[in-house]
Amino acid sequence: MGIRHVAPGLLALFVATMLWAGASAAQSSTAPPFFSDVSGSALWAMTAVEELAAQGIVNGVAAGTYDPSGPVTEAEVLATLVRMLGLPTTSAVSAVPVSTPAWAQGDVAAAMADDLVPGFSALAPNDSASRLWALDALLRAMGEQSSAAADASLPLPYSDAASIPAAEHGYVAIGTKIGIVTGFPNGSFEPNVPVSRAEWAVMLERLETQDARVAQTLPAVETGFAAVSAAAGAVTVSDQSTSVDCGLPAAWVESTTTVVGGTTECAVGDDGALVLWDGAVMAPSLAPYVPAGQPVVLVGGTSRPSLVLLGSFASTAPPAAAVEEAQMTQEAEGTIASVTAAFYDSSRGMWTNSQGQLGASFTPADVWPYACGLDALEEVAALPTGEGLLTQVQTLVQNLAQYWDAAAPVPAYAPTPGSGPNTNKFFDDNDWSGLDLVQAYRLTRDAQDLTQAEAVFRYEESGWDSTAGGIFWNDQRQYRNTPANAPAVELGAELYLLTGQQTYLSWAEKIYAWEVQNLVNPSSGAVYDGIQSSGTEVRDLWTYNQGTVIGASVLLYKITQQKAYLTQAEATFAFTDQQMVQTGGVLVAQADFNGILADNLVLLYSVDPDPAIATLLNVNAQAAWTLARNTATGLVGANWDGPPPSGSVSLLTESGAIRLLAAAAAIDGMEAASGA
């Protein structure tokens, strides 16, 4: 049985194009709503989210905010499927769980009546929908219950297959067989990992768009352009009278879905073909602009074409922001390559602190620079072309475990690998490591990373001063400072967004209230460093403190929509932009810290696209690349205003430069996507 409102014969196409992540579809002819947070590492889902929102199938969490990385709930899965299938809602809601939100009761009742609710666990409308639960509901919407029962005995190719309930084996087998789901890089299926709102929107968009494309489907070479042959390295497209060979350079081929570019033999502005081969997925990452003379042909698989869709190649040059995004991305990727060569021991899978400490003289980095280097790598991996860095991200995350002191009264990361339980540990070191784990989870969906981030937050809770408030800097419990508190707010807020557990939000709000009351100047927005045990305030100004308060404020604003949080972020940015720059707008020489500021400015820009943020980051990125970079080593000096380094530099300094370049690329990408 197929999807009930999709034209016959398109079921195979639909299921093959359903992805858990990564694809964006053709642009709608109507202007969709704009969600400022569907950006950066979530840009791949932008078209799906906005087009479905324009049709009322998915909704944002607030005006202009979608929360793409947040988990989709079971009620939201059912409601969106009901809307997608066009099922009538019902007022007979007595059978729905009492916890069902009022807005979803009619949809949930309709889903229950149409057998869309997975049966392997009790319906919990407000819980995050797991991969297994969402897959089950989706296949029920496709009418695959009987097929799932028939395939229940098929073996599953996952290392954790034993953790999948027997009654669900058929659903996982079908989903795997037809390409809806795949495993994680470690070979596991992770049935209980939550599905993000962005992932679910992309899955739904694949279903919704098939009907719209029926009218564009062409019989082979009947009219317009149609693919007539394919071979390694070439696709031939033709119209009724001519054939044009579009060579496919090997460098354009990606690892999962093939993305290939034509040569100048295909003229810009020509009509072209978007091709699906044997029902396999069309390439997910068609850029909105194609360089002049380089039209794009998209193919998936290597066999005969099963569907050809009309399209047009871009006929205009990309906007300035798109050019800048490409340049900044290239610079970020180049710098991470240089830093990897200088600081990463590939045989051990670990960073070292300084140049000259690889090979026989290897010394593992302290946890603070290790975490900063890992975050820098993650920020580049999150860019549209960064997928090739994910293996290194996973390796570094796995080896971060060498710093974990499980024997301590409250387990935590120690400053160096193998430290004993009596080692003085730092709460800010653990903040940075916890945030790295959150980012790693977003990039790889390895549930162990999220579990470990939650363990880190338990250590942060233990650092709270029950008398005067605030988290201490380290286990000596003398100094309470911004580096321990503001990132802890960010970690708590991120964990709330990923798990929905109220305790994380409550802690984040409590820590934030103490930070703002004690270490933020209410007039200027400046953020101070800390408070000594004597009560003396240390008013040192560091850019990373400004950045983490900005980031903490933005995250709480995104969660609560309370304007006071956004106002605080804007005030602290204004102070930073005016008071913490040198001549020409280059940030003060705190490269180790400036990268953390840059990370958090991307967060602020996602909710408040102030051109001043883009200007600050682009000015600094250009300065770092042109004035502070040693062209022989590819490494960047501590002062982005120059000169380039002539001697040894540190991993901390380099991580700051990488974060800056990645942040500039991310914001340029947002500008290009919004047409700014």
Side-chain angles (χ1 to χ4, degrees):
M1 182 187 301
I3 293 288
R4 281 153 287 190
H5 83 307
V6 174
L10 288 181
L11 176 59
L13 173 63
F14 158 60
V15 296
T17 55
M18 297 283 284
L19 295 180
W20 286 101
S24 61
Q27 291 290 339
S28 169
S29 58
T30 59
F34 175 70
F35 294 106
S36 59
D37 59 341
V38 184
S39 55
S41 60
L43 267 177
W44 56 269
M46 180 178 66
T47 300
V49 169
E50 294 182 350
E51 291 199 355
L52 290 172
Q55 299 172 57
I57 294 171
V58 301
N59 299 307
V61 297
T65 304
Y66 184 73
D67 187 20
S69 60
V72 65
T73 67
E74 292 183 4
E76 290 169 336
V77 165
L78 295 178
T80 50
L81 285 173
V82 165
R83 295 168 198 162
M84 187 69 73
L85 295 173
L87 299 177
T89 58
T90 175
S91 58
V93 297
S94 59
V96 305
V98 295
S99 60
T100 305
W103 65 265
Q105 290 179 359
D107 292 318
V108 171
M112 294 173 66
D114 211 57
D115 193 28
L116 301 185
V117 181
F120 67 91
S121 64
L123 174 60
N126 297 307
D127 284 2
S128 302
S130 67
R131 277 167 56 88
L132 183 59
W133 202 94
L135 173 63
D136 185 314
L138 180 61
L139 290 174
R140 287 173 181 270
M142 294 168 59
E144 294 292 331
Q145 294 94 321
S146 298
S147 297
D151 290 349
S153 61
L154 291 178
L156 299 178
Y158 302 114
S159 59
D160 57 350
S163 67
I164 300 171
E168 294 301 301
H169 275 222
Y171 288 98
V172 177
I174 292 174
T176 302
K177 181 170 61 175
I178 61 181
I180 295 178
V181 289
T182 59
F184 286 90
N186 63 5
S188 65
F189 178 75
E190 302 292 353
N192 299 318
V193 169
V195 176
S196 75
R197 288 168 54 83
E199 290 168 336
W200 184 244
V202 168
M203 295 172 69
L204 290 174
E205 193 271 347
R206 290 304 175 200
L207 166 60
E208 193 275 338
T209 55
Q210 298 315 311
D211 283 341
R213 291 178 179 175
V214 171
Q216 300 180 34
T217 304
L218 298 175
V221 204
E222 180 172 301
T223 182
F225 277 74
V228 295
S229 66
V235 165
T236 300
V237 297
S238 68
D239 62 13
Q240 294 175 333
S241 58
T242 61
S243 293
V244 181
D245 179 57
C246 297
L248 311 180
W252 287 57
V253 178
E254 295 179 352
S255 58
T256 52
T257 303
T258 308
V259 182
V260 293
T263 67
T264 54
E265 292 175 307
C266 300
V268 171
D270 285 352
D271 287 335
L274 303 184
V275 183
L276 292 157
W277 296 88
D278 278 345
V281 66
M282 185 172 60
S285 54
L286 173 60
Y289 302 97
V290 181
Q294 292 286 327
V296 171
V297 177
L298 303 177
V299 299
T302 58
S303 187
R304 61 179 175 80
S306 58
L307 179 66
V308 180
L309 306 177
L310 285 177
S312 294
F313 297 130
S315 58
T316 59
V323 174
E324 290 174 0
E325 178 192 13
Q327 178 183 340
M328 293 300 176
T329 298
Q330 185 177 28
E331 292 173 3
E333 291 173 341
T335 306
I336 197 68
S338 298
V339 169
T340 294
F343 296 93
Y344 182 68
D345 190 307
S346 58
S347 65
R348 296 177 174 87
M350 298 182 74
W351 294 120
T352 188
N353 285 317
S354 303
Q355 289 174 275
Q357 295 181 340
L358 296 177
S361 59
F362 176 77
T363 303
D366 295 343
V367 73
W368 154 237
Y370 189 104
C372 289
L374 174 54
D375 180 80
L377 183 69
E378 289 173 333
E379 297 305 327
V380 182
L383 295 174
T385 58
E387 184 180 0
L389 299 173
L390 291 181
T391 298
Q392 187 180 355
V393 168
Q394 290 174 306
T395 299
L396 283 163
V397 169
Q398 290 166 3
N399 288 322
L400 183 61
Q402 296 186 36
Y403 298 80
W404 186 250
D405 183 1
V410 181
Y413 289 110
T416 56
S419 303
N422 296 321
T423 302
N424 183 32
K425 299 176 184 64
F426 290 77
F427 289 95
D428 60 340
D429 286 350
N430 280 267
D431 284 332
W432 312 124
S433 300
L435 290 168
D436 283 352
L437 290 164
V438 166
Q439 177 73 322
Y441 172 71
R442 286 210 169 96
L443 290 170
T444 67
R445 288 293 171 180
D446 188 332
Q448 295 179 5
D449 297 338
L450 180 59
T451 299
Q452 184 65 13
E454 293 184 280
V456 171
F457 196 79
R458 288 192 287 275
Y459 175 67
E460 296 302 321
E461 294 173 5
S462 75
W464 182 259
D465 183 345
S466 59
T467 302
I471 295 174
F472 288 102
W473 180 34
N474 57 32
D475 286 342
Q476 294 180 353
R477 303 179 77 87
Q478 297 294 313
Y479 189 51
R480 292 164 293 153
N481 64 353
T482 296
N485 284 270
V489 176
E490 293 187 282
L491 181 57
E494 294 279 22
L495 289 173
Y496 171 76
L497 288 170
L498 289 172
T499 69
Q501 294 185 30
Q502 181 63 37
T503 184
Y504 293 127
L505 178 58
S506 298
W507 267 107
E509 291 175 324
K510 180 167 73 170
I511 300 167
Y512 181 89
W514 179 88
E515 170 72 28
V516 171
Q517 181 178 352
N518 290 277
L519 292 175
V520 177
N521 186 309
S523 299
S524 68
V527 180
Y528 302 132
D529 192 67
I531 299 175
Q532 297 174 343
S533 57
S534 63
T536 301
E537 189 175 49
V538 177
R539 295 198 167 192
D540 294 345
L541 294 172
W542 304 102
T543 54
Y544 74 153
N545 288 338
Q546 317 308 310
T548 51
V549 166
I550 289 170
S553 301
V554 170
L555 286 169
L556 289 177
Y557 169 70
K558 291 174 73 172
I559 293 169
T560 68
Q561 290 299 294
Q562 294 180 21
K563 187 65 183 298
Y565 290 124
L566 181 57
T567 300
Q568 179 62 64
E570 292 169 336
T572 299
F573 168 68
F575 171 82
T576 305
D577 194 33
Q578 296 164 12
Q579 303 298 323
M580 301 200 73
V581 295
Q582 307 172 71
T583 302
V586 177
L587 287 161
V588 293
Q590 299 176 11
D592 300 3
F593 298 159
N594 290 348
I596 296 173
L597 169 65
D599 280 353
N600 287 282
L601 289 182
V602 175
L603 263 179
L604 178 57
Y605 191 88
S606 73
V607 298
D608 177 15
D610 183 350
I613 300 172
T615 298
L616 180 66
L617 289 178
N618 280 310
V619 164
N620 278 269
Q622 183 176 8
W625 186 258
T626 60
L627 301 177
R629 176 174 156 269
N630 184 315
T631 56
T633 64
L635 301 177
V636 179
N639 187 347
W640 292 340
D641 209 18
S646 56
S648 178
V649 293
S650 71
L651 178 61
L652 277 173
T653 295
E654 298 312 299
S655 70
I658 295 166
R659 286 161 138 172
L660 166 69
L661 295 168
I667 285 185
D668 287 335
M670 293 185 214
E671 286 188 304
S674 66

